[in-house]
Amino acid sequence: MWAGAAPGVSEAAAAASDGPGARAGGMLTALLTSAMAFSMLQLFLFGALGPRLVAESGVSPAVLGLTTTVGFGTAAVLSPFGGRLVDRIGPRRSLVLLLSVSAATLALIGAAPGPGFLLAAVALGGVPQALANPATNKAILAAVAPARRAQVTGVKQSGVQLGAFAAGLPLTALAAAAGWRGAVWTAAAAAAVAALWALRALPADPPGRPAPPRSSLVPRGDIAWLAVFSLFLGCGIASVNTYVALFGAQRLGMGPTAAGALVAVLGVAGIGGRVGWSKAARPGRARWLPGGLAAGAVGAAALLAAALVAGPLVWAGAVAVGVFAVSANAVSMVLVMQRSAPGRAGQDSGLVAAGFFAGFALGPPLFGPLADAGRYGPGWLLVAAEFALACAVATAWALRERRARAVAAA
């Protein structure tokens, strides 16, 4: 499968492979989507189950945000090294490792007797997050024809939001019957099944490559701009994911299940947005999309703030966060694959992901004290400011690139 649509294969040749080839391509897309879902499922579980954790386990809103900081801080540190590892060992080994560690992380979270153990388990969850984008992007470059890569990338990136839907609806409903630990253990079992699926279904990787020459872990050029954009974008998205359900329960009078459904709605909107916007990210216009989507995300945060006056607007705000903010991350990954040098897709993906995860680590601690004080209005305005900074970075990059191309063409 890895060699079946290697870079340079024609679109016509890829389209001509019906039957088993088409089914194999669909299986690969489904597996990559599942890997993305499980890699970040713990984030959405803490957000969706937040009202139950606060009510039943004595977890404060600030500690709830700290779980996100620990997990994504670990992911931010490990992502550049995860990208190098994926480039070296190949996508199959990386995907099996990702899903196995996801299963272990979720099982340990469900068994956590106290905050210290819980935070240690969350830190372990940084490993699959660090591997997710490099491993799945590497698989796409190895097995998908160039003409279809943006579409497949959008579908697999929507797996993250599929995880949000699973946490916000079926797992939240299961928690009402079996408790939050039972819901988390169910997710752990599903991740273990996915790891076995990857082990049995994917072809063997080529022999392990020797370690490549050491290169800088500091992003440069286009990758640096995308990493900074992802930093501010991640700050805002993480705050929404972590606190929107708690906001619904504490300030809007929603029950725990209805509040958790806000995360599910955000997830469904993100699935559609990631697929649609990634397909639109064609060379030539893709560079303008991140700034436009971040501008839409500013409006989404404003809708969440306005929900303090008109409660139903919280649903519109959750949808808008999915359509704009969440989708912008998928577009950035399409741009990484369009701009990466040969052999560097894993490492460049890891560097951009590191910026995104650093934002996820920083956002909730900034929002947490406001949530503790019940000041959600200023909290959502802070999120709007973070999205506005992302918009400014992306727009500056697009203008800089347009000027550079104009100079080159002169």
Side-chain angles (χ1 to χ4, degrees):
M1 182 188 302
W2 299 137
V9 73
S10 71
E11 184 177 7
S17 59
D18 297 324
R23 287 194 295 273
M27 184 276 291
L28 175 64
T29 303
L31 184 55
L32 298 182
T33 304
S34 298
M36 293 299 297
F38 284 114
S39 72
M40 292 180 64
L41 183 59
Q42 70 176 40
L43 163 72
F44 299 113
L45 282 171
F46 281 119
L49 300 178
R52 294 188 183 279
L53 287 167
V54 170
E56 298 171 15
S57 301
V59 175
S60 72
V63 170
L64 191 66
L66 185 60
T67 62
T68 301
T69 298
V70 169
F72 287 96
T74 305
V77 171
L78 294 180
S79 283
F81 304 99
R84 282 183 172 179
L85 178 66
V86 170
D87 281 337
R88 185 174 181 183
I89 69 175
R92 179 177 182 259
R93 297 184 187 95
S94 300
L95 289 167
V96 172
L97 177 63
L98 182 162
L99 290 163
S100 299
V101 177
S102 294
T105 296
L106 291 165
L108 291 171
I109 288 172
F117 192 101
L118 179 67
L119 292 175
V122 168
L124 179 63
V127 174
Q129 293 162 38
L131 292 172
N133 281 302
T136 53
N137 287 353
K138 192 83 170 179
I140 289 171
L141 287 173
V144 179
R148 295 189 59 247
R149 286 176 187 164
Q151 178 180 354
V152 175
T153 300
V155 174
K156 69 96 174 174
Q157 290 292 130
S158 74
V160 176
Q161 304 318 120
L162 181 63
F165 173 80
L169 201 59
L171 290 174
T172 298
L174 179 61
W180 71 268
R181 294 182 190 274
V184 174
W185 282 329
T186 299
V193 170
L196 292 174
W197 176 26
L199 185 64
R200 294 176 61 88
L202 296 178
D205 290 311
R209 294 173 48 195
R214 300 191 68 83
S215 55
S216 174
L217 293 177
V218 178
R220 302 183 188 282
D222 294 336
I223 301 303
W225 284 94
L226 290 170
V228 176
F229 165 75
S230 297
L231 170 70
F232 292 119
L233 188 72
C235 280
I237 294 175
S239 295
V240 176
N241 287 339
T242 304
Y243 288 110
V244 69
L246 199 61
F247 171 60
Q250 290 186 338
R251 294 299 305 272
L252 305 182
M254 301 169 71
T257 301
L262 286 169
V263 180
V265 166
L266 188 157
V268 171
I271 291 171
R274 285 188 163 197
V275 173
W277 287 116
S278 294
K279 288 175 66 176
R282 298 186 178 91
R285 70 177 180 184
R287 67 179 182 271
W288 298 104
L289 286 179
L293 293 173
V298 174
L303 285 172
L304 293 175
L308 287 164
V309 177
L313 287 177
V314 71
W315 297 100
V319 169
V321 169
V323 170
F324 295 110
V326 169
S327 301
N329 173 246
V331 170
S332 72
M333 283 299 152
V334 173
L335 284 162
V336 169
M337 287 193 288
Q338 290 175 352
R339 307 302 173 93
S340 289
R344 281 189 54 93
Q347 183 165 331
D348 286 347
S349 298
L351 291 171
V352 173
F356 191 59
F357 293 145
F360 266 73
L362 292 171
L366 295 175
F367 196 109
L370 296 171
D372 270 343
R375 302 182 63 205
Y376 282 97
W380 298 131
L381 293 178
L382 172 63
V383 169
E386 291 161 350
F387 288 147
L389 288 170
C391 178
V393 170
T395 302
W397 172 64
L399 291 171
R400 172 181 175 272
E401 186 170 85
R402 186 177 69 177
R403 287 194 299 269
R405 294 195 177 200
V407 169

